[in-house]
Amino acid sequence: MTKFSDLKLDPKVLTAIADAGYETPTPIQAGAIPPALEGKDVLGIAQTGTGKTASFTLPMITMLAKGRARARMPRSLVLCPTRELAAQVAENFDIYAKNTKLTKALLIGGVSFGEQDKLIDRGVDVLIATPGRLLDHFERGKLLLTGVQIMVVDEADRMLDMGFIPDIERIFQLTPFTRQTLFFSATMAPEIERITNTFLHAPARIEVARQATTSETIEQRLYALTPTRRDQSAKQKRELLRALIKSEGESCTNAIIFCNRKTEVDILSKSLKTHGLNASPIHGDLEQSQRTRTLDGFRDGSVRFLIASDVAARGLDIPAVSHVFNFDVPSHAEDYVHRIGRTGRAGRKGKAFTISTPADDKYLAAIEALLKGPIPRAESPEGFAASEVSQQAPREREEKPAGRSRSRGGRDRSEPSRDTAHVSEPVAAPKTAEPAPAQTAAPREERRDDRNRDRDRRDRRDNGAPVVGMGDHVPDFILRSFRTAAQTSTPEDEAEGDAES
Ligand code: AMP
């Protein structure tokens, strides 16, 4: 078996690795470090949890040990899709470069420019950045990329999802042709393949097994919920989630709970807090300081439940997460793999529970096709019964987001377009479902009758065939009558007059 000492790393780096407690390189490290140290381009197909961060930081530190940084010209560049991931890479640098004099700067959104500007002005060996922020600095003339000898692209598949590929291409073009590129992606989508064919030169390709499909330390379960009413879906999912948390008891020491939308992250977090659970939200719309505080709290155990969007939780390295809950089935099958990989890390046992509704069927099918097998179905916890239709239906409707938010360069993945699928696919009521109470159904029926009566009246007055148009969906206000001072007619006549005018 390969040992770190076989890998021709700088002795100072080897000491730091030993101090960190690592003895043997992981497969991606054993595969990527030797060609990287030879100056070759590397294409690493690996996801987080495989040790890939060290697989590029260790050779970079070794190679950068020779030479000095020049003002405003970083010698190496690491591009990450999210702030959290960039911050994590920076932490890794601090650990492994602690015995060297290398300097680094972190360019991420939500952190003030001033401090980072000063560092870059002085000259840094390693610049760790998100693509948008890097280009902002470049465009402000604060940065030159012509001194970049090593460029790392981390989590390229996520960059693709977030619409960052044009930025990445631009950054590639701003760096010297002679640079060395270390490129990492969990999957090789055609667009990623294209980029690597364009910008990498004869790369050493190292592919490591997918964590989730091979990990036997994660127990997966699927809880299929059929809401009694579509507008009760979110509420009943929250009830099921609480029941699951309760049934897991103390074995659920902490958990990341994933939602597909930022709005749902906020709602769920508030709801869990209301029910006495220690929960905090994390998503891209929150202040960076709050995100950092929440993550620190989750790491140190003062926050038990981290309610997260995919983007915010991407690549988070928190070793001891006992449970992952998918409050929503992810609409991209890959995200399922990333999400559940947050638990069962480093040989620990973990549980990944997913709540699905019939509206998720097609996403579920895609996930199971990717996993090459079904997620084991589980019975709802004992005693769980979704509450019956309540007066809260209008509130549930309010919870729907008003619109989609966009992030720089593309669609924000935590606000995916699947809303339409959710609302347009009818949720079949279970056989056992109670019919909606009469008092809620009746007014709606009455309204429809009124509309039909109004339409019939109009049709009678029209000389031709009824116009096909809005069908039953005529807004009420259109059917309202206009009264003028001269009018003394009965309400019946008013409606007839309306139809004529
Ligand atoms: P990453 O895939 O880079 O997110 O790393 C996942 C986790 O593995 C992190 O907690 C690393 O500190 C840890 N790790 C990295 N290299 C090794 C190694 N050689 N042996 C054991 N753990 C490691």
Side-chain angles (χ1 to χ4, degrees), residues 366-434:
I367 291 166
E368 294 186 326
L370 180 70
L371 298 178
K372 299 194 172 61
I375 305 171
R377 268 55 176 172
E379 292 293 324
S380 300
E382 212 161 300
F384 168 75
S387 69
E388 286 308 332
V389 174
S390 74
Q391 298 304 320
Q392 291 187 15
R395 218 188 108 219
E396 295 288 353
R397 275 196 294 276
E398 274 167 29
E399 288 169 0
K400 297 249 155 53
R404 272 187 239 156
S405 70
R406 290 180 69 85
S407 59
R408 190 187 196 287
R411 179 164 66 84
D412 186 322
R413 291 287 315 285
S414 62
E415 300 273 2
S417 53
R418 59 170 288 214
D419 291 359
T420 40
H422 243 323
V423 286
S424 63
E425 283 181 20
V427 175
K431 289 188 188 78
T432 52
E434 294 284 325

Side-chain angles (χ1 to χ4, degrees), residues 19 24 57 91 119 124 151 161 187 218-219 303 319 331 336 352 386 410 413 470 479 482:
D19 288 351
T24 42
T57 46
E91 275 168 29
L119 287 172
V124 288
M151 171 162 156
D161 291 343
T187 56
I218 305 172
E219 181 191 342
V303 171
S331 49
Y336 179 83
R413 291 287 315 285
M470 289 184 272
L479 301 174
F482 291 91

Side-chain angles (χ1 to χ4, degrees), residues 116-146:
Q116 306 301 309
D117 273 350
K118 266 189 237 153
L119 287 172
I120 292 166
D121 275 351
R122 252 182 269 147
V124 288
D125 297 296
V126 184
L127 182 58
I128 303 160
T130 48
R133 192 68 169 210
L134 180 86
L135 286 172
D136 285 347
H137 270 259
F138 180 79
E139 276 151 19
R140 288 166 59 241
K142 297 280 180 190
L143 190 62
L144 290 166
L145 295 175
T146 43

Side-chain angles (χ1 to χ4, degrees), residues 222 329-331 333 356-375 377:
L222 184 82
V329 175
S331 49
S356 75
T357 66
D360 300 314
D361 282 353
K362 76 174 179 204
Y363 303 116
L364 205 52
I367 291 166
E368 294 186 326
L370 180 70
L371 298 178
K372 299 194 172 61
I375 305 171
R377 268 55 176 172

Side-chain angles (χ1 to χ4, degrees), residues 266-308:
D266 286 330
I267 291 164
L268 182 60
S269 176
K270 274 189 203 132
S271 160
L272 290 176
K273 269 190 221 156
T274 309
H275 285 86
L277 295 165
N278 175 356
S280 277
I282 184 160
H283 59 67
D285 284 353
L286 299 171
E287 290 277 318
Q288 184 59 34
S289 57
Q290 188 184 343
R291 288 161 67 166
T292 307
R293 239 186 354 262
T294 300
L295 275 182
D296 288 348
F298 190 63
R299 283 200 172 100
D300 71 22
S302 55
V303 171
R304 184 176 171 211
F305 297 104
L306 184 70
I307 323 302

Side-chain angles (χ1 to χ4, degrees), residues 433-450:
E434 294 284 325
Q439 67 268 36
T440 50
R444 203 188 288 165
E445 284 305 310
E446 276 167 22
R447 275 203 306 278
R448 202 168 43 230
D449 285 346
D450 284 348

Side-chain angles (χ1 to χ4, degrees), residues 4 22 24-26 29 47-53 317 345:
F4 275 115
Y22 303 138
T24 42
T26 64
Q29 291 163 359
Q47 58 182 110
T48 56
T50 55
K52 72 175 166 55
T53 316
D317 179 32
R345 285 162 89 83

